[in-house]
Amino acid sequence: MPVTDARTVPAAPLEAVNDFVVKFANVNGSGSASANELFARAILRMGVPVGPRNIFPSNIQGLPTWYEVRISGAGHLGRRGGVDLMVAMNPQTWDDDIAEVDVGGYLFYDSTRPLAATKMRSDITMIGMPLTEICNSTWADPRQRQLFKNILYVGALAALLRIDMGAIETLIAEQYKSKPRLLEPNVQALRMGYVYARDHLPAIGLSVRRSNAVGDRIFIDGNRAAALGCVYGGATVCAWYPITPSSSLAESFQNYCHKLRIDPASGRRRYAVVQAEDEIASIGIVAGAGWNGARAFTATSGPGISLMSEIIGLAYFAEIPMTIIDVQRGGPSTGMPTRTQQADLVACAYASHGDTRHVLLFPEDPHECFEFAASALDLADRLQTPVFVMSDLDIAMNQRLCAPLAWSETNRYDRGKVMSFEQLEAGTDFGRYKDVDGDGIPWRTLPGTHPTRGSYFTRGTSRDAYARYSERGRDYVDNMERLLRKFDTARSLVPPPVPNASHRPTTWGAIYFGSTAPAMREAVESLEQAGLAMDILRVRAFPFSGAVREFIESHGPVFVVEQNRDAQLRSLLVDDFGLDPARLVPILHFDGTPITARFIVGAVKAYAHEAGMPT
Amino acid sequence: MTWIAKPRLHHPTLARNSLGYTRRDYEGKVSTLCAGCGHDSISAAIVQAFWLMDIAPHRVAKLSGIGCSSKTPDYFLGPAHGFNTVHGRMPSVLTGANLANRSLIYLGVSGDGDSASIGLGQFAHAIRRGVDMTYIVENNGVYGLTKGQFSATADPGSVSKKGVANTDGPLDLVGLALLLGASFVARGFAGDKAQLVPLVQAAISHKGSAIIDVISPCIAFNNHAGSTKSYDYVREHNEAVNQLDLVPSRNEITVDYAAGETVELAQHDGTFLRLHKLREDYDPHDRIGAMNYLHEHQARGEVVTGLLYVDPAAQDLHAGLETVETPLNLLSEAELCPGAAVLEHINSSLR
């Protein structure tokens, strides 16, 4: 075995306990994903919060992929920015990977083949371990050589970072509970890596120490949580078309239903899932089911929203309940299918031709993906309109530490204003588009309810309050104005914004939403330490509640932090409240990676600097 | 105009079906289509078929796309809910409606533009899934509402009212439906009600996707000498393979012993289809034979009508999805929500 070439360097090596960033650079399809997840989960089992993120290509095998793990005893789950320890397992991306390491940081690499000195950096600690050589001399099967190389480096990292080997071995045992044949070689590889690192590699300044900072939180990805929300919220029809990053949501729904929604007497299913031929058919199926009184949803991403827009407009005008979970990715066009963005806000808020406005919900994490998926089904029935849950790839496809999913036994589905046979039989006046209660929401009937009363003809074209065909201008205007009243009613029904006031009085404020939340909270702490106190408000729905306007009116400057190029939330705020756009300062991150706390801090400090404030 | 309701006064001597309904109870609003439009004859056939079958009109959901044909559901079955959806997307909306409540009868009405042009994909996939519905294409080979453009079923060489000859090849929805595996495929002619009414009845009683392509001449834009979808052309070239009766199961079954000329097919709902074979060589159980027959006659310029193929043992989408018998839209919260205890168990598996 070659001697490892660990070298200490002049720049002081970073030292940190439970507060650093490890990034794994791998080749897609090499089996690294499960090894990397094992690494993150082991730290979690030690009671230390982690925020892992897959940064992966639109590819099955061969292209570069990264897994970034934020380890934060303080509980910061967003991306911080920067890398303290790079596990550089992909020669293709070596140059970029080594450049990304913070000064004083560490780089762990496979030293089987010697690397030219020009490929090294002197201001970080290089830790070489001959992984390939160890694998080749231990295993004969090429697939095993590849897979165990991943486990080997997990073992080595456990030694370097002082991760509890017991925690890792327990996780491996859980993973291979049903395949004991695989358990032993995995544990053997893990221990081999551990022993090698312990005996041959230098100690480093980063370490994990057992803590109690995880509490009762759960570790789940947003798509699974949203799928469970749809199960709990009573969705019975799901129609979908495969599209990254939403596909696993529909697949999870199907899996959970298979376990939780089987009629015990007949063994038959209390749900229907259709993988449609495209997104147009998906939303058509959802529209038909909603029209006919079933709770129905689809999961899609931006390109799917584009295709669905005509039927979404029909559903707005025909007043059909439907739930659309948009797991946003980089656009336009096919854009960056495996990268995250919050760039579908405008497309969803005004989806379709003509004058439309739709209700949007913005979950911050899997906990809210669950909650909002279930409440979207209620809101859609209550408001008789499409309701969007605006997830994104960062929340949806990464496992996130979050509060346990919550369901109260006192929850009751809100089916909205559906006129029953008894009401019709009693002679209740039925006007399908008549505003009886002043909230803009009319009553509806379901097909087949009554032999002679309550039937109506649903159209995308004009009609009067009794659903009779009409092209009269007055009827059209009355109807469109009622739809606006209904949208105003939604304002008071959607989840309210969540304020977070600074410890010190300040006029500075920031508005943010969705997956930006953890980076935003960390940035605010960091800014406050730097003397820049700021109140923040997390917006959770469109239309916005009055509290959002009050926040804007009582602060200045007001930053709007979002992950798109065109400041789309800011546009919605300006439009919804008729604001002067100059009141809102955009902070925009849209390179396809999740926004970092450092990025937000940098943007705010730059603003302060320009404003002539000391920073 | 569409908002004109027909007077509700019934002649006291009007015949009633076993539910006590007269034919008038199956009518809708006054048609706004052109006088003489084939589509109105199809609407009349639909009214007659549902009345004859003793189906309460409000137990039907009628859905359509966009176009002249798609306006017609307002002109029949007034007590039924209707949905005039989006151009070419009726099949998906109907599929969703059917998933939500399997206890209703679904009637999809479409046209050749709606199903063969913009909606060809949805036409195909609804058939693939075996959605339980009667899908009527009112086929006139022309776009009526936008004034006379060719549709995808127009024959090459057929000449528009403005004198332009069509050079594109035609799509034959009957041939396609056979190819796609539809379990009931028929063609009718708006001008032949005696054949059309039993075809609609048979389609309604069929479990699965029942496709009826009805040649329906457009009196305004496609009923002239150069058209292959005109009343005159179809009457001259109609090649009927059989004449159909639907025999309700409660009636005494009397078998017509004209050997070799009558076939009886038991349907899922207990009814029988009685086929009077006009062509000795025609077997409606043979999908490949049906395709050959269709293409041979098509090559001679003949329009084959009748029940071309049926699989009486067909199953529908709900069978494939294994859904419960109770309509999904009637399931209670207790049947849908797994509850807090189950969620706590899920939470603990995620730590």
Side-chain angles (χ1 to χ4, degrees), chain A residues 216 219 232 261 268-269 277 292 405 409 413 445 448 458-459, chain B residues 74 81-82 84 97 106 129 322-323 329 336 339 350-351:
Chain A
D216 71 341
F219 196 55
Y232 272 75
R261 280 276 193 80
R268 299 182 74 84
R269 301 172 186 168
E277 63 269 28
N292 213 357
L405 308 179
E409 290 295 5
Y413 295 160
T445 54
T458 310
R459 296 186 164 84
Chain B
D74 207 17
H81 277 63
N84 196 168
Y106 291 88
R129 290 190 187 102
E322 295 176 30
T323 45
N329 70 352
L336 297 175
L350 296 167
R351 290 188 175 115

PDB file of all heavy atoms in Angstrom, chain A residues 216 219 232 261 268-269 277 292 405 409 413 445 448 458-459, chain B residues 74 81-82 84 97 106 129 322-323 329 336 339 350-351:
ATOM      1  N   ASP A 216     -38.047  15.054  19.119  1.00  0.00           N
ATOM      2  CA  ASP A 216     -38.960  14.056  18.534  1.00  0.00           C
ATOM      3  C   ASP A 216     -39.147  14.277  17.043  1.00  0.00           C
ATOM      4  O   ASP A 216     -40.078  13.743  16.430  1.00  0.00           O
ATOM      5  CB  ASP A 216     -40.314  14.081  19.257  1.00  0.00           C
ATOM      6  CG  ASP A 216     -41.112  15.335  18.934  1.00  0.00           C
ATOM      7  OD1 ASP A 216     -40.505  16.328  18.456  1.00  0.00           O
ATOM      8  OD2 ASP A 216     -42.333  15.341  19.174  1.00  0.00           O
ATOM      9  N   PHE A 219     -37.505  12.482  10.115  1.00  0.00           N
ATOM     10  CA  PHE A 219     -36.621  12.685   8.961  1.00  0.00           C
ATOM     11  C   PHE A 219     -37.358  12.131   7.747  1.00  0.00           C
ATOM     12  O   PHE A 219     -37.511  10.917   7.601  1.00  0.00           O
ATOM     13  CB  PHE A 219     -35.329  11.914   9.242  1.00  0.00           C
ATOM     14  CG  PHE A 219     -34.149  12.269   8.389  1.00  0.00           C
ATOM     15  CD1 PHE A 219     -33.705  13.584   8.294  1.00  0.00           C
ATOM     16  CD2 PHE A 219     -33.457  11.282   7.707  1.00  0.00           C
ATOM     17  CE1 PHE A 219     -32.577  13.912   7.528  1.00  0.00           C
ATOM     18  CE2 PHE A 219     -32.334  11.589   6.946  1.00  0.00           C
ATOM     19  CZ  PHE A 219     -31.890  12.907   6.864  1.00  0.00           C
ATOM     20  N   TYR A 232     -54.453  11.414   4.213  1.00  0.00           N
ATOM     21  CA  TYR A 232     -55.192  11.885   5.390  1.00  0.00           C
ATOM     22  C   TYR A 232     -56.289  12.870   5.010  1.00  0.00           C
ATOM     23  O   TYR A 232     -57.349  12.899   5.624  1.00  0.00           O
ATOM     24  CB  TYR A 232     -54.225  12.471   6.434  1.00  0.00           C
ATOM     25  CG  TYR A 232     -53.717  11.391   7.355  1.00  0.00           C
ATOM     26  CD1 TYR A 232     -52.758  10.484   6.911  1.00  0.00           C
ATOM     27  CD2 TYR A 232     -54.244  11.217   8.633  1.00  0.00           C
ATOM     28  CE1 TYR A 232     -52.330   9.447   7.723  1.00  0.00           C
ATOM     29  CE2 TYR A 232     -53.825  10.186   9.454  1.00  0.00           C
ATOM     30  CZ  TYR A 232     -52.872   9.301   9.003  1.00  0.00           C
ATOM     31  OH  TYR A 232     -52.468   8.268   9.801  1.00  0.00           O
ATOM     32  N   ARG A 261     -55.559   2.079   2.724  1.00  0.00           N
ATOM     33  CA  ARG A 261     -56.864   2.372   2.127  1.00  0.00           C
ATOM     34  C   ARG A 261     -57.510   1.158   1.464  1.00  0.00           C
ATOM     35  O   ARG A 261     -58.139   1.270   0.425  1.00  0.00           O
ATOM     36  CB  ARG A 261     -56.701   3.461   1.080  1.00  0.00           C
ATOM     37  CG  ARG A 261     -56.614   4.858   1.623  1.00  0.00           C
ATOM     38  CD  ARG A 261     -58.015   5.421   1.854  1.00  0.00           C
ATOM     39  NE  ARG A 261     -57.940   6.844   2.087  1.00  0.00           N
ATOM     40  CZ  ARG A 261     -57.818   7.730   1.126  1.00  0.00           C
ATOM     41  NH1 ARG A 261     -57.787   7.343  -0.129  1.00  0.00           N
ATOM     42  NH2 ARG A 261     -57.738   9.009   1.413  1.00  0.00           N
ATOM     43  N   ARG A 268     -60.834  -4.653  -1.610  1.00  0.00           N
ATOM     44  CA  ARG A 268     -60.748  -3.725  -2.739  1.00  0.00           C
ATOM     45  C   ARG A 268     -60.301  -2.336  -2.279  1.00  0.00           C
ATOM     46  O   ARG A 268     -60.231  -2.051  -1.095  1.00  0.00           O
ATOM     47  CB  ARG A 268     -62.075  -3.680  -3.481  1.00  0.00           C
ATOM     48  CG  ARG A 268     -62.454  -5.061  -4.046  1.00  0.00           C
ATOM     49  CD  ARG A 268     -63.747  -5.017  -4.817  1.00  0.00           C
ATOM     50  NE  ARG A 268     -63.567  -4.365  -6.123  1.00  0.00           N
ATOM     51  CZ  ARG A 268     -63.121  -4.984  -7.205  1.00  0.00           C
ATOM     52  NH1 ARG A 268     -62.808  -6.263  -7.163  1.00  0.00           N
ATOM     53  NH2 ARG A 268     -62.995  -4.340  -8.351  1.00  0.00           N
ATOM     54  N   ARG A 269     -59.991  -1.492  -3.267  1.00  0.00           N
ATOM     55  CA  ARG A 269     -59.311  -0.231  -2.958  1.00  0.00           C
ATOM     56  C   ARG A 269     -60.270   0.954  -2.816  1.00  0.00           C
ATOM     57  O   ARG A 269     -61.159   1.111  -3.647  1.00  0.00           O
ATOM     58  CB  ARG A 269     -58.298   0.088  -4.064  1.00  0.00           C
ATOM     59  CG  ARG A 269     -57.269  -0.994  -4.228  1.00  0.00           C
ATOM     60  CD  ARG A 269     -56.421  -0.738  -5.451  1.00  0.00           C
ATOM     61  NE  ARG A 269     -55.527  -1.882  -5.664  1.00  0.00           N
ATOM     62  CZ  ARG A 269     -54.819  -2.079  -6.763  1.00  0.00           C
ATOM     63  NH1 ARG A 269     -54.868  -1.204  -7.751  1.00  0.00           N
ATOM     64  NH2 ARG A 269     -54.051  -3.138  -6.872  1.00  0.00           N
ATOM     65  N   GLU A 277     -51.716   9.676 -19.805  1.00  0.00           N
ATOM     66  CA  GLU A 277     -50.832   9.745 -20.967  1.00  0.00           C
ATOM     67  C   GLU A 277     -50.087  11.063 -21.046  1.00  0.00           C
ATOM     68  O   GLU A 277     -49.110  11.185 -21.788  1.00  0.00           O
ATOM     69  CB  GLU A 277     -51.622   9.500 -22.261  1.00  0.00           C
ATOM     70  CG  GLU A 277     -52.704  10.540 -22.570  1.00  0.00           C
ATOM     71  CD  GLU A 277     -54.064  10.165 -21.988  1.00  0.00           C
ATOM     72  OE1 GLU A 277     -54.090   9.454 -20.968  1.00  0.00           O
ATOM     73  OE2 GLU A 277     -55.092  10.599 -22.553  1.00  0.00           O
ATOM     74  N   ASN A 292     -67.466  15.676  -9.968  1.00  0.00           N
ATOM     75  CA  ASN A 292     -68.367  14.608  -9.537  1.00  0.00           C
ATOM     76  C   ASN A 292     -68.240  14.311  -8.040  1.00  0.00           C
ATOM     77  O   ASN A 292     -68.716  13.288  -7.568  1.00  0.00           O
ATOM     78  CB  ASN A 292     -68.076  13.346 -10.358  1.00  0.00           C
ATOM     79  CG  ASN A 292     -69.331  12.522 -10.609  1.00  0.00           C
ATOM     80  OD1 ASN A 292     -70.402  12.861 -10.129  1.00  0.00           O
ATOM     81  ND2 ASN A 292     -69.183  11.447 -11.366  1.00  0.00           N
ATOM     82  N   LEU A 405     -45.437  14.690  11.783  1.00  0.00           N
ATOM     83  CA  LEU A 405     -46.684  14.956  11.078  1.00  0.00           C
ATOM     84  C   LEU A 405     -47.816  14.914  12.099  1.00  0.00           C
ATOM     85  O   LEU A 405     -47.817  14.076  12.997  1.00  0.00           O
ATOM     86  CB  LEU A 405     -46.902  13.909   9.982  1.00  0.00           C
ATOM     87  CG  LEU A 405     -45.714  13.718   9.032  1.00  0.00           C
ATOM     88  CD1 LEU A 405     -46.036  12.645   7.995  1.00  0.00           C
ATOM     89  CD2 LEU A 405     -45.315  15.023   8.353  1.00  0.00           C
ATOM     90  N   GLU A 409     -57.713  14.157  15.917  1.00  0.00           N
ATOM     91  CA  GLU A 409     -58.899  13.317  15.733  1.00  0.00           C
ATOM     92  C   GLU A 409     -60.157  14.172  15.590  1.00  0.00           C
ATOM     93  O   GLU A 409     -61.202  13.683  15.154  1.00  0.00           O
ATOM     94  CB  GLU A 409     -59.064  12.335  16.893  1.00  0.00           C
ATOM     95  CG  GLU A 409     -58.015  11.228  16.940  1.00  0.00           C
ATOM     96  CD  GLU A 409     -58.064  10.250  15.754  1.00  0.00           C
ATOM     97  OE1 GLU A 409     -58.851  10.467  14.811  1.00  0.00           O
ATOM     98  OE2 GLU A 409     -57.287   9.267  15.773  1.00  0.00           O
ATOM     99  N   TYR A 413     -63.397  16.749   7.564  1.00  0.00           N
ATOM    100  CA  TYR A 413     -63.283  17.250   6.195  1.00  0.00           C
ATOM    101  C   TYR A 413     -64.341  18.335   5.961  1.00  0.00           C
ATOM    102  O   TYR A 413     -65.482  18.185   6.371  1.00  0.00           O
ATOM    103  CB  TYR A 413     -63.516  16.130   5.179  1.00  0.00           C
ATOM    104  CG  TYR A 413     -62.483  15.022   5.203  1.00  0.00           C
ATOM    105  CD1 TYR A 413     -62.773  13.777   4.651  1.00  0.00           C
ATOM    106  CD2 TYR A 413     -61.224  15.220   5.767  1.00  0.00           C
ATOM    107  CE1 TYR A 413     -61.836  12.763   4.652  1.00  0.00           C
ATOM    108  CE2 TYR A 413     -60.283  14.208   5.779  1.00  0.00           C
ATOM    109  CZ  TYR A 413     -60.594  12.977   5.224  1.00  0.00           C
ATOM    110  OH  TYR A 413     -59.669  11.962   5.230  1.00  0.00           O
ATOM    111  N   THR A 445     -74.368  21.098  -6.904  1.00  0.00           N
ATOM    112  CA  THR A 445     -74.997  19.785  -6.744  1.00  0.00           C
ATOM    113  C   THR A 445     -74.109  18.765  -7.445  1.00  0.00           C
ATOM    114  O   THR A 445     -73.357  19.109  -8.356  1.00  0.00           O
ATOM    115  CB  THR A 445     -76.392  19.733  -7.399  1.00  0.00           C
ATOM    116  OG1 THR A 445     -76.261  20.145  -8.770  1.00  0.00           O
ATOM    117  CG2 THR A 445     -77.379  20.623  -6.672  1.00  0.00           C
ATOM    118  N   GLY A 448     -76.594  13.083 -10.372  1.00  0.00           N
ATOM    119  CA  GLY A 448     -77.334  11.921  -9.858  1.00  0.00           C
ATOM    120  C   GLY A 448     -78.038  12.155  -8.547  1.00  0.00           C
ATOM    121  O   GLY A 448     -78.586  11.220  -7.977  1.00  0.00           O
ATOM    122  N   THR A 458     -72.666  22.274 -17.097  1.00  0.00           N
ATOM    123  CA  THR A 458     -71.409  22.955 -16.779  1.00  0.00           C
ATOM    124  C   THR A 458     -70.714  23.381 -18.069  1.00  0.00           C
ATOM    125  O   THR A 458     -70.558  22.570 -18.975  1.00  0.00           O
ATOM    126  CB  THR A 458     -70.482  21.991 -16.014  1.00  0.00           C
ATOM    127  OG1 THR A 458     -71.211  21.420 -14.936  1.00  0.00           O
ATOM    128  CG2 THR A 458     -69.257  22.703 -15.497  1.00  0.00           C
ATOM    129  N   ARG A 459     -70.319  24.627 -18.114  1.00  0.00           N
ATOM    130  CA  ARG A 459     -69.694  25.139 -19.333  1.00  0.00           C
ATOM    131  C   ARG A 459     -68.474  25.972 -18.988  1.00  0.00           C
ATOM    132  O   ARG A 459     -68.396  26.556 -17.925  1.00  0.00           O
ATOM    133  CB  ARG A 459     -70.614  26.112 -20.061  1.00  0.00           C
ATOM    134  CG  ARG A 459     -71.861  25.596 -20.590  1.00  0.00           C
ATOM    135  CD  ARG A 459     -72.518  26.729 -21.383  1.00  0.00           C
ATOM    136  NE  ARG A 459     -73.557  26.188 -22.225  1.00  0.00           N
ATOM    137  CZ  ARG A 459     -74.781  25.957 -21.775  1.00  0.00           C
ATOM    138  NH1 ARG A 459     -75.103  26.237 -20.543  1.00  0.00           N
ATOM    139  NH2 ARG A 459     -75.677  25.441 -22.580  1.00  0.00           N
TER     140      ARG A 459
ATOM    141  N   ASP B  74     -76.815  19.504 -24.222  1.00  0.00           N
ATOM    142  CA  ASP B  74     -77.800  20.397 -23.614  1.00  0.00           C
ATOM    143  C   ASP B  74     -79.191  20.147 -24.199  1.00  0.00           C
ATOM    144  O   ASP B  74     -80.181  20.631 -23.666  1.00  0.00           O
ATOM    145  CB  ASP B  74     -77.384  21.857 -23.871  1.00  0.00           C
ATOM    146  CG  ASP B  74     -77.906  22.809 -22.796  1.00  0.00           C
ATOM    147  OD1 ASP B  74     -78.294  22.319 -21.715  1.00  0.00           O
ATOM    148  OD2 ASP B  74     -77.920  24.024 -23.037  1.00  0.00           O
ATOM    149  N   HIS B  81     -76.962  15.870 -15.164  1.00  0.00           N
ATOM    150  CA  HIS B  81     -75.876  16.839 -15.150  1.00  0.00           C
ATOM    151  C   HIS B  81     -75.076  16.705 -16.449  1.00  0.00           C
ATOM    152  O   HIS B  81     -74.837  15.580 -16.922  1.00  0.00           O
ATOM    153  CB  HIS B  81     -74.940  16.583 -13.972  1.00  0.00           C
ATOM    154  CG  HIS B  81     -75.411  17.184 -12.683  1.00  0.00           C
ATOM    155  ND1 HIS B  81     -76.576  16.809 -12.074  1.00  0.00           N
ATOM    156  CD2 HIS B  81     -74.855  18.142 -11.872  1.00  0.00           C
ATOM    157  CE1 HIS B  81     -76.732  17.502 -10.947  1.00  0.00           C
ATOM    158  NE2 HIS B  81     -75.707  18.315 -10.802  1.00  0.00           N
ATOM    159  N   GLY B  82     -74.670  17.844 -16.984  1.00  0.00           N
ATOM    160  CA  GLY B  82     -73.870  17.826 -18.208  1.00  0.00           C
ATOM    161  C   GLY B  82     -72.603  18.631 -18.030  1.00  0.00           C
ATOM    162  O   GLY B  82     -72.517  19.496 -17.146  1.00  0.00           O
ATOM    163  N   ASN B  84     -69.788  20.471 -20.576  1.00  0.00           N
ATOM    164  CA  ASN B  84     -69.213  20.856 -21.856  1.00  0.00           C
ATOM    165  C   ASN B  84     -67.762  21.255 -21.546  1.00  0.00           C
ATOM    166  O   ASN B  84     -67.510  22.336 -21.044  1.00  0.00           O
ATOM    167  CB  ASN B  84     -70.020  22.061 -22.359  1.00  0.00           C
ATOM    168  CG  ASN B  84     -69.830  22.373 -23.816  1.00  0.00           C
ATOM    169  OD1 ASN B  84     -70.579  23.166 -24.364  1.00  0.00           O
ATOM    170  ND2 ASN B  84     -68.849  21.783 -24.454  1.00  0.00           N
ATOM    171  N   ALA B  97     -64.679  11.623 -13.832  1.00  0.00           N
ATOM    172  CA  ALA B  97     -66.043  11.575 -13.303  1.00  0.00           C
ATOM    173  C   ALA B  97     -66.434  10.129 -13.010  1.00  0.00           C
ATOM    174  O   ALA B  97     -67.002   9.813 -11.958  1.00  0.00           O
ATOM    175  CB  ALA B  97     -67.009  12.205 -14.296  1.00  0.00           C
ATOM    176  N   TYR B 106     -72.335   6.839 -18.023  1.00  0.00           N
ATOM    177  CA  TYR B 106     -71.569   7.929 -18.637  1.00  0.00           C
ATOM    178  C   TYR B 106     -71.729   7.931 -20.143  1.00  0.00           C
ATOM    179  O   TYR B 106     -71.518   6.910 -20.798  1.00  0.00           O
ATOM    180  CB  TYR B 106     -70.099   7.831 -18.224  1.00  0.00           C
ATOM    181  CG  TYR B 106     -69.967   8.138 -16.762  1.00  0.00           C
ATOM    182  CD1 TYR B 106     -70.081   7.148 -15.797  1.00  0.00           C
ATOM    183  CD2 TYR B 106     -69.849   9.461 -16.335  1.00  0.00           C
ATOM    184  CE1 TYR B 106     -70.050   7.437 -14.447  1.00  0.00           C
ATOM    185  CE2 TYR B 106     -69.815   9.771 -14.985  1.00  0.00           C
ATOM    186  CZ  TYR B 106     -69.914   8.755 -14.050  1.00  0.00           C
ATOM    187  OH  TYR B 106     -69.898   9.073 -12.722  1.00  0.00           O
ATOM    188  N   ARG B 129     -57.793   2.241 -21.534  1.00  0.00           N
ATOM    189  CA  ARG B 129     -58.107   2.006 -20.117  1.00  0.00           C
ATOM    190  C   ARG B 129     -59.421   1.263 -19.937  1.00  0.00           C
ATOM    191  O   ARG B 129     -59.714   0.786 -18.846  1.00  0.00           O
ATOM    192  CB  ARG B 129     -58.208   3.347 -19.384  1.00  0.00           C
ATOM    193  CG  ARG B 129     -56.892   4.017 -19.251  1.00  0.00           C
ATOM    194  CD  ARG B 129     -56.884   5.215 -18.326  1.00  0.00           C
ATOM    195  NE  ARG B 129     -55.566   5.791 -18.479  1.00  0.00           N
ATOM    196  CZ  ARG B 129     -55.297   6.860 -19.203  1.00  0.00           C
ATOM    197  NH1 ARG B 129     -56.263   7.535 -19.767  1.00  0.00           N
ATOM    198  NH2 ARG B 129     -54.058   7.271 -19.340  1.00  0.00           N
ATOM    199  N   GLU B 322     -59.318  -2.223  -9.291  1.00  0.00           N
ATOM    200  CA  GLU B 322     -59.810  -2.926  -8.096  1.00  0.00           C
ATOM    201  C   GLU B 322     -60.443  -1.991  -7.085  1.00  0.00           C
ATOM    202  O   GLU B 322     -60.258  -2.124  -5.862  1.00  0.00           O
ATOM    203  CB  GLU B 322     -58.675  -3.730  -7.426  1.00  0.00           C
ATOM    204  CG  GLU B 322     -58.151  -4.851  -8.292  1.00  0.00           C
ATOM    205  CD  GLU B 322     -56.973  -5.575  -7.649  1.00  0.00           C
ATOM    206  OE1 GLU B 322     -56.907  -5.635  -6.411  1.00  0.00           O
ATOM    207  OE2 GLU B 322     -56.131  -6.072  -8.411  1.00  0.00           O
ATOM    208  N   THR B 323     -61.189  -1.020  -7.566  1.00  0.00           N
ATOM    209  CA  THR B 323     -61.837  -0.077  -6.646  1.00  0.00           C
ATOM    210  C   THR B 323     -63.028  -0.729  -5.959  1.00  0.00           C
ATOM    211  O   THR B 323     -63.629  -1.682  -6.478  1.00  0.00           O
ATOM    212  CB  THR B 323     -62.331   1.165  -7.409  1.00  0.00           C
ATOM    213  OG1 THR B 323     -62.972   0.720  -8.604  1.00  0.00           O
ATOM    214  CG2 THR B 323     -61.202   2.082  -7.777  1.00  0.00           C
ATOM    215  N   ASN B 329     -66.881   8.893  -4.301  1.00  0.00           N
ATOM    216  CA  ASN B 329     -67.352  10.181  -3.766  1.00  0.00           C
ATOM    217  C   ASN B 329     -68.321  10.013  -2.599  1.00  0.00           C
ATOM    218  O   ASN B 329     -68.762  10.991  -2.020  1.00  0.00           O
ATOM    219  CB  ASN B 329     -67.955  11.056  -4.876  1.00  0.00           C
ATOM    220  CG  ASN B 329     -69.284  10.526  -5.403  1.00  0.00           C
ATOM    221  OD1 ASN B 329     -69.712   9.428  -5.059  1.00  0.00           O
ATOM    222  ND2 ASN B 329     -69.928  11.311  -6.266  1.00  0.00           N
ATOM    223  N   LEU B 336     -61.749   6.850   4.894  1.00  0.00           N
ATOM    224  CA  LEU B 336     -60.637   7.436   4.136  1.00  0.00           C
ATOM    225  C   LEU B 336     -59.432   7.810   4.987  1.00  0.00           C
ATOM    226  O   LEU B 336     -58.295   7.732   4.548  1.00  0.00           O
ATOM    227  CB  LEU B 336     -61.123   8.686   3.389  1.00  0.00           C
ATOM    228  CG  LEU B 336     -62.198   8.449   2.327  1.00  0.00           C
ATOM    229  CD1 LEU B 336     -62.669   9.770   1.750  1.00  0.00           C
ATOM    230  CD2 LEU B 336     -61.665   7.557   1.216  1.00  0.00           C
ATOM    231  N   GLY B 339     -56.270   8.030  10.582  1.00  0.00           N
ATOM    232  CA  GLY B 339     -56.334   8.434  11.988  1.00  0.00           C
ATOM    233  C   GLY B 339     -54.998   8.747  12.623  1.00  0.00           C
ATOM    234  O   GLY B 339     -53.924   8.437  12.097  1.00  0.00           O
ATOM    235  N   LEU B 350     -39.925   7.068  11.317  1.00  0.00           N
ATOM    236  CA  LEU B 350     -39.130   8.056  10.569  1.00  0.00           C
ATOM    237  C   LEU B 350     -38.104   8.762  11.461  1.00  0.00           C
ATOM    238  O   LEU B 350     -37.677   9.869  11.170  1.00  0.00           O
ATOM    239  CB  LEU B 350     -40.061   9.098   9.928  1.00  0.00           C
ATOM    240  CG  LEU B 350     -41.030   8.553   8.874  1.00  0.00           C
ATOM    241  CD1 LEU B 350     -42.105   9.578   8.555  1.00  0.00           C
ATOM    242  CD2 LEU B 350     -40.282   8.162   7.606  1.00  0.00           C
ATOM    243  N   ARG B 351     -37.738   8.101  12.562  1.00  0.00           N
ATOM    244  CA  ARG B 351     -36.784   8.758  13.465  1.00  0.00           C
ATOM    245  C   ARG B 351     -35.448   8.047  13.440  1.00  0.00           C
ATOM    246  O   ARG B 351     -35.374   6.901  13.042  1.00  0.00           O
ATOM    247  CB  ARG B 351     -37.341   8.787  14.885  1.00  0.00           C
ATOM    248  CG  ARG B 351     -38.508   9.736  14.989  1.00  0.00           C
ATOM    249  CD  ARG B 351     -38.967   9.954  16.428  1.00  0.00           C
ATOM    250  NE  ARG B 351     -40.000  10.974  16.428  1.00  0.00           N
ATOM    251  CZ  ARG B 351     -41.283  10.765  16.768  1.00  0.00           C
ATOM    252  NH1 ARG B 351     -41.667   9.575  17.174  1.00  0.00           N
ATOM    253  NH2 ARG B 351     -42.155  11.737  16.715  1.00  0.00           N
TER     254      ARG B 351
END
